[in-house]
Amino acid sequence: MDFTAPNVQYFSDLNKNRLFTGNSQNFINSLGRNHLNTLGNVSLLDIFLSREKVVEPHIHQNASELVYCISGSAVVSLINPFTNKLHNIPVKPGQVANVPQGWWHYEIAAEDHTHLLAIFDAPYPEAIFGSDILRLTPAHIWAHTYCLDENKWKEAVAPIKKTTYIGPSDDCNKNRNDQHQQYYYEYQQPPVNYQNPSYIHPYYAPPTNHF
């Protein structure tokens, strides 16, 4: 970076850098070197969620992600590829969860007005989203590989028309039957454990057959 150049930037307004809008309560603003050219090896996403909304499962193939909770609360879930274990990490204001580079992960808001800041150690974080993997991989490959009914698979993934970013959609919630209640995520925040900083409190989720 030539800091004597006339186009040097030291300020950016994230409110004008919208990456995705679900509705007025669910959206993501972004900041990268394309927005602020004096940034070093860092970037961020400013994430706003209402209760039960999910930042869809994805990976960042070129960056680690530090998720900082500003307000509300959320559960950051990640799969450790070395142990094949799922970890669910509840965060409240002032707390963080770290997602190493390339790990499959997602975030679920536990209450309305949840505000998360995702910080990356790359100026342009890349991502591969679950919605794109599901919709772009041919149905016959899924069916053949996992011994699935191809037509049922096509029916199951047909609603996924584009990258989801934040789900479920408002239309999905409206179309659910009364007996399919929205998810309520229950967890207890563990006390700070300085002797074992890797301690993760168990996360209690509803049965998967609600999907």
Side-chain angles (χ1 to χ4, degrees), residues 135 157-163:
R135 70 189 179 89
V157 300
I160 308 174
K161 303 295 185 182
K162 57 184 179 180
T163 307

Side-chain angles (χ1 to χ4, degrees), residues 12-179:
S12 182
D13 186 351
L14 268 70
N15 296 305
K16 298 179 180 179
N17 301 339
R18 184 62 57 88
L19 173 67
F20 171 80
T21 302
N23 55 37
S24 61
Q25 301 297 318
N26 295 274
F27 57 92
I28 303 173
N29 296 326
S30 64
L31 180 71
R33 196 177 292 170
N34 54 319
H35 303 112
L36 187 60
N37 60 18
T38 55
L39 279 178
N41 200 42
V42 66
S43 54
L44 60 84
L45 295 177
D46 203 22
I47 304 169
F48 297 82
L49 301 169
S50 57
R51 185 177 184 179
E52 300 179 354
K53 291 292 187 178
V54 183
V55 177
E56 70 162 311
H58 62 285
I59 66 170
H60 299 289
Q61 63 269 39
N62 73 328
S64 298
E65 177 181 351
L66 185 66
V67 182
Y68 174 75
C69 183
I70 298 173
S71 63
S73 59
V75 175
V76 180
S77 297
L78 54 88
I79 293 177
N80 183 331
F82 299 98
T83 64
N84 285 330
K85 291 183 178 179
L86 173 67
H87 297 277
N88 301 286
I89 308 168
V91 290
K92 292 182 178 181
Q95 299 176 337
V96 299
N98 188 52
V99 182
Q101 179 178 337
W103 288 25
W104 187 250
H105 66 285
Y106 50 93
E107 295 88 21
I108 306 175
E111 57 186 284
D112 288 334
H113 308 296
T114 291
H115 184 187
L116 305 175
L117 191 65
I119 305 166
F120 304 91
D121 56 356
Y124 305 104
E126 300 170 353
I128 299 174
F129 294 96
S131 55
D132 294 332
I133 293 174
L134 291 171
R135 70 189 179 89
L136 298 177
T137 303
H140 71 272
I141 296 298
W142 291 108
H144 176 71
T145 304
Y146 303 109
C147 195
L148 303 174
D149 184 302
E150 183 173 345
N151 290 327
K152 289 183 179 179
W153 176 260
K154 287 180 178 178
E155 181 181 357
V157 300
I160 308 174
K161 303 295 185 182
K162 57 184 179 180
T163 307
T164 299
Y165 290 104
I166 297 175
S169 67
D170 292 340
D171 289 340
C172 176
N173 287 335
K174 292 177 182 178
N175 292 333
R176 285 177 175 172
N177 294 328
D178 291 340
Q179 68 266 28

